[in-house]
Amino acid sequence: MLECTFEPNMLFAGALDRSGFELFLALAMGHFLGDFGLQSDRMAVEKCRGKDQTLPWQWWLTAHAGIHAFLVTLITGSAWLGLAEWLLHALIDIGKCRHAYGLGIDQLLHLSCKALWVILLFYGLSATR
């Protein structure tokens, strides 16, 4: 059976060696980097259906959520949590694009996912070790 493991660099090594709060803070910082520092104005607009001009909206949304997936994977060392982040981040952003909620709820939902990743790492995944 082929096993794929990810070895985070020394900056993010040992996610479970930190407290849950420290890990949540690192994930929250990564989130704000991905949502505001690494998301271009074009990406922020064109990731929404009907707003795409240069590329189909699905590409913009996939790329944006993929950045978040990479950051979660890097910080936690878990590609599975990164994959879950990719999917949930995209779904949350689709809701915002459809005007189901505003920026505040959008950010609350994203940060709730980060709390869920911490809970899964400390209580779900660590129980299998």
Side-chain angles (χ1 to χ4, degrees):
M1 181 167 131
L2 180 62
E3 182 174 272
C4 181
T5 59
F6 176 80
E7 292 293 322
N9 67 29
M10 291 307 293
L11 182 60
F12 300 109
L16 291 178
D17 293 338
R18 300 185 214 163
S19 73
F21 184 67
E22 287 177 312
L23 183 57
F24 176 77
L25 285 177
L27 287 166
M29 291 175 203
H31 171 74
F32 287 110
L33 175 66
D35 250 18
F36 298 100
L38 299 176
Q39 180 175 210
S40 68
D41 291 342
R42 176 168 284 176
M43 183 181 284
V45 171
E46 293 195 32
K47 69 182 179 185
C48 297
R49 172 180 264 148
K51 304 286 186 178
D52 45 340
Q53 299 294 314
T54 58
L55 287 174
W57 68 272
Q58 300 95 327
W59 287 105
W60 288 112
L61 182 62
T62 300
H64 173 64
I67 290 168
H68 284 275
F70 177 74
L71 291 168
V72 166
T73 300
L74 193 65
I75 292 167
T76 65
S78 172
W80 292 111
L81 289 180
L83 183 62
E85 174 71 21
W86 204 339
L87 175 65
L88 289 179
H89 196 96
L91 290 173
I92 291 166
D93 279 7
I94 286 170
K96 187 179 69 171
C97 287
R98 292 180 178 172
H99 304 288
Y101 37 80
L103 181 64
I105 297 298
D106 170 74
Q107 293 301 302
L108 180 66
L109 290 170
H110 289 311
L111 292 174
S112 295
C113 288
K114 305 311 180 278
L116 178 60
W117 307 154
V118 171
I119 289 167
L120 287 173
L121 273 175
F122 278 85
Y123 300 105
L125 300 177
S126 64
T128 62
R129 301 200 295 132

